[in-house]
Amino acid sequence: SVLTPTVLVTGASGLLGRATARELASAGGIQPAIVTTGRTQGDWVGDPADERFVRTLLETVRPDWILHFAGPTTHREITSTPR
């Protein structure tokens, strides 16, 4: 809503996403919706590459902003990710 904006944070189990989600939650007046890939608990746990998951997430959360920090972080993940 306009009074309490919702910010969708993907990659919240990573360094940048976790720090950002923590700051948003402590700032007050902002409702973060946390998305993780299952390594940690979040408001939503799923794969941002899964179209059905993302569609359900966006329809349910209806974020005002999206901060997308999810992505491969290891050499193996980077080299095995389809282009």
Side-chain angles (χ1 to χ4, degrees), residues 40-60:
T40 62
Q41 292 295 330
D43 295 334
W44 290 78
V45 178
D47 184 354
D50 178 345
E51 184 178 340
R52 177 179 272 161
F53 169 73
V54 172
R55 186 180 313 277
T56 301
L57 173 67
L58 294 176
E59 289 173 353
T60 304

Side-chain angles (χ1 to χ4, degrees), residues 25-80:
S26 68
I30 296 176
Q31 175 61 44
I34 310 305
V35 180
T36 64
T37 56
R39 287 178 250 180
T40 62
Q41 292 295 330
D43 295 334
W44 290 78
V45 178
D47 184 354
D50 178 345
E51 184 178 340
R52 177 179 272 161
F53 169 73
V54 172
R55 186 180 313 277
T56 301
L57 173 67
L58 294 176
E59 289 173 353
T60 304
V61 174
R62 300 184 55 80
D64 297 296
W65 298 307
I66 298 173
L67 301 177
H68 180 51
F69 299 121
T73 58
T74 67
H75 182 267
R76 173 174 274 148
E77 289 174 324
I78 292 168
T79 58
S80 66

